[in-house]
Amino acid sequence: MQSIATILLQTAIKRFTVYKELGDKSFAQLQDADFYFLPNEANNSIAVIIRHMSGNMLSRWTNFLTEDGEKDWRNRDAEFANITATRERLLDQWVLGWNCLFEALNALKEEDLLKIIYIRSEGQSVIDAIQRQLAHYAYHVGQIVYLARIATDKEWQSLSISKGQSALYNQEMKHK
């Protein structure tokens, strides 16, 4: 029988994977210019959100147990600059950040989960840090999906249950 700590870690990895996949599926529906779509000047583009998430992931998950999660080499403000990069470069940044996260999570052992780590000198348990980042990334992936949906308009293919299709979906799930 698995321990609660092991189940918690496996569940977190599963949820992080789901959010990464939602981003991946959104990107697959975008034209290159859509990565820079802005509904208005107060918003961040998908490209900016990718850069921010990647920067955050690299900072938080590099040497996760031994160094503060806000690294001196990170330039958070630069992540929000409207800099144009190719689709390939953006997706490389996306993958780099997620790979760093998954490497760190997969290296954790049950006894690590109650250790105290630091983010901006604030101590927190590894469990709390994982939950903190899970919420942060879910928030930003939601922004990505929403912006992608607006940018692609009628071309958008739903990533979840389409409007008016709940009963059909539930019926299909019962037969699986």
Side-chain angles (χ1 to χ4, degrees), residues 23 35 42 54 60 63 66 79 81 116 123 125 139 141 143 158 176:
F35 283 89
S54 180
R60 296 294 183 266
N63 301 321
T66 58
E79 295 165 11
I116 301 299
S125 70
Y139 170 81
V141 169
Q143 292 174 321
S158 179
K176 280 191 173 185

Side-chain angles (χ1 to χ4, degrees), residues 50-64:
I50 289 171
R51 281 196 304 273
H52 169 61
M53 287 182 68
S54 180
N56 179 278
M57 288 174 179
L58 293 171
S59 184
R60 296 294 183 266
W61 299 100
T62 299
N63 301 321
F64 176 65

Side-chain angles (χ1 to χ4, degrees), residues 2-4 7-8 21 36-38 40 53 60 67 71 79-80 92-93 96 100 102 104 132-134 157 172 175:
Q2 292 182 319
S3 71
I4 291 173
I7 293 168
L8 177 74
E21 289 172 353
Y36 296 93
F37 168 76
L38 289 172
N40 61 51
M53 287 182 68
R60 296 294 183 266
E67 296 178 2
K71 305 294 189 282
E79 295 165 11
F80 293 94
D92 285 348
Q93 286 181 287
L96 185 66
C100 184
F102 288 123
R132 174 181 174 162
Q133 295 312 117
L134 185 59
Q157 298 295 312
E172 289 172 358
H175 295 298

Side-chain angles (χ1 to χ4, degrees), residues 10-75:
Q10 289 172 345
T11 302
I13 292 169
K14 179 180 176 180
R15 291 295 147 217
F16 279 117
T17 301
V18 167
Y19 292 121
K20 180 189 180 297
E21 289 172 353
L22 284 172
D24 292 341
K25 289 175 182 176
S26 296
F27 304 150
Q29 296 189 53
L30 298 177
Q31 300 296 317
D32 292 356
D34 294 335
F35 283 89
Y36 296 93
F37 168 76
L38 289 172
N40 61 51
E41 291 303 314
N43 292 99
N44 291 314
S45 68
I46 292 170
V48 165
I49 297 168
I50 289 171
R51 281 196 304 273
H52 169 61
M53 287 182 68
S54 180
N56 179 278
M57 288 174 179
L58 293 171
S59 184
R60 296 294 183 266
W61 299 100
T62 299
N63 301 321
F64 176 65
L65 294 175
T66 58
E67 296 178 2
D68 191 287
E70 188 62 23
K71 305 294 189 282
D72 292 338
W73 45 259
R74 181 181 183 203
N75 184 351

Side-chain angles (χ1 to χ4, degrees), residues 106-121:
N106 286 315
L108 292 176
K109 296 173 179 44
E110 185 175 328
E111 59 269 18
D112 294 328
L113 297 181
L114 295 178
K115 289 181 179 176
I116 301 299
I117 60 105
Y118 294 87
I119 298 174
R120 293 191 179 104
S121 301

